[in-house]
Amino acid sequence: MLAQRVGTDCGTPSLNLARNLAELGLSDVTMRVTCPTVAGNTPAGRFWRLTLQHLADDIAQLPDIHRDDVTTVIHRLSQPGFLELGMATITVTGTKPRT
């Protein structure tokens, strides 16, 4: 859903980025994964709550998802003490060889 709406790459190709860069001849390939936490009244918590509210109808159309599920998650994101892992960001860098 996010890939279609905003271009988020949540698929398995991101897991192969380091190998792909190495296969392209880059050296000093490194990978860094950042995974913030999401808490109710934080910027990340508000982001996910607003995102889910905006996409609720589309999410409810996915297999095995019901509108009540979306409402429940939005409610949990609003609760004091809520703490969960956010979306991981994978950063891969490499050095192009001198020619």
Side-chain angles (χ1 to χ4, degrees), residues 70-94:
V70 179
T71 303
T72 298
V73 172
I74 292 169
H75 176 73
R76 287 182 183 164
L77 280 166
S78 305
Q79 297 301 304
F82 175 85
L83 184 63
E84 186 60 76
L85 292 175
M87 184 179 288
T89 301
I90 301 171
T91 305
V92 179
T93 60

Side-chain angles (χ1 to χ4, degrees), residues 1-11 13-14 47-48 51 55 87-88:
M1 169 97 31
L2 287 173
Q4 293 172 351
R5 287 288 190 97
V6 296
T8 302
D9 179 8
C10 299
S14 59
F47 167 81
W48 282 112
T51 298
L55 298 176
M87 184 179 288

Side-chain angles (χ1 to χ4, degrees), residues 1-2 5 47-63 65-75:
M1 169 97 31
L2 287 173
R5 287 288 190 97
F47 167 81
W48 282 112
R49 190 170 56 251
L50 291 170
T51 298
L52 289 172
Q53 288 170 343
H54 180 71
L55 298 176
D57 291 336
D58 291 332
I59 293 171
Q61 299 299 315
L62 295 170
I65 303 290
H66 302 282
R67 178 68 183 193
D68 291 344
D69 297 330
V70 179
T71 303
T72 298
V73 172
I74 292 169
H75 176 73

